[in-house]
Amino acid sequence: NVRIPHYGSSASVTATPHPAATHHLPWFITAPGQTDYLYVATAIVLVLAIFLIGVVFFMLHSLPERLGHKKLQFEVVAVLALISLFTHIHLFWVIALILALIDIPDFLAPLRRIASGVEKLSDNRPASSDHSGAAQPSYKRAEEKVTSDA
């Protein structure tokens, strides 16, 4: 028998459980005033899950930056990833990921090699000036080189 206080009077009313009610309650139902351990465990798991989802999100979001190869490519990818992070426009992140995965060819190295080869072929040394201050023409230098080789 459970005694239930009746508000407004000093007498208490006794109540008996319903005959169809079970006498054994599941483990997750707590008595009034007791600590609900299932609620505490669920709250801890929820906080940890939110934290881990955030960590995975930021690791995934920084993926294009970690894949960038060269300095200029890395800077462009980083800017696109930041724009995507702050504006929530995911197209910028997709563009940054594609740009990071593509290895941009180096166009300057062959041009520098061509320039140095042409410079060696032309024997481009500083023009020697005579006493009058006029520079010697390149065809005269070539003639001097041919006569000195002979």
Side-chain angles (χ1 to χ4, degrees):
N1 290 341
V2 178
R3 299 183 70 80
I4 300 174
H6 185 259
Y7 296 105
S9 71
S10 61
S12 61
V13 178
T14 61
T16 59
H18 191 274
T22 180
H23 295 289
H24 175 70
L25 294 177
W27 65 271
F28 53 84
I29 296 179
T30 58
Q34 298 293 323
T35 304
D36 189 358
Y37 293 109
L38 181 63
Y39 177 75
V40 171
T42 304
I44 291 171
V45 167
L46 181 67
V47 168
L48 288 176
I50 290 173
F51 180 74
L52 290 176
I53 288 172
V55 168
V56 168
F57 172 76
F58 284 120
M59 284 179 61
L60 182 66
H61 201 278
S62 68
L63 180 68
E65 296 171 23
R66 288 185 274 141
L67 293 176
H69 301 288
K70 298 176 182 78
K71 184 176 179 355
L72 177 65
Q73 182 182 14
F74 173 77
E75 290 175 356
V76 171
V77 166
V79 167
L80 284 171
L82 278 176
I83 290 172
S84 169
L85 183 65
F86 291 132
T87 61
H88 300 292
I89 299 174
H90 303 296
L91 182 64
F92 289 121
W93 186 84
V94 172
I95 292 171
L97 183 63
I98 291 172
L99 185 62
L101 291 174
I102 295 173
D103 190 20
I104 299 175
D106 185 16
F107 293 111
L108 291 179
L111 293 177
R112 286 186 183 129
R113 285 189 299 181
I114 291 171
S116 68
V118 169
E119 186 177 333
K120 286 179 185 176
L121 283 175
S122 70
D123 191 30
N124 192 9
R125 49 188 169 190
S128 61
S129 57
D130 56 1
H131 297 293
S132 65
Q136 188 177 12
S138 61
Y139 65 88
K140 292 210 178 218
R141 283 190 308 223
E143 288 175 0
E144 289 175 1
K145 184 176 180 185
V146 170
T147 55
S148 66
D149 287 342

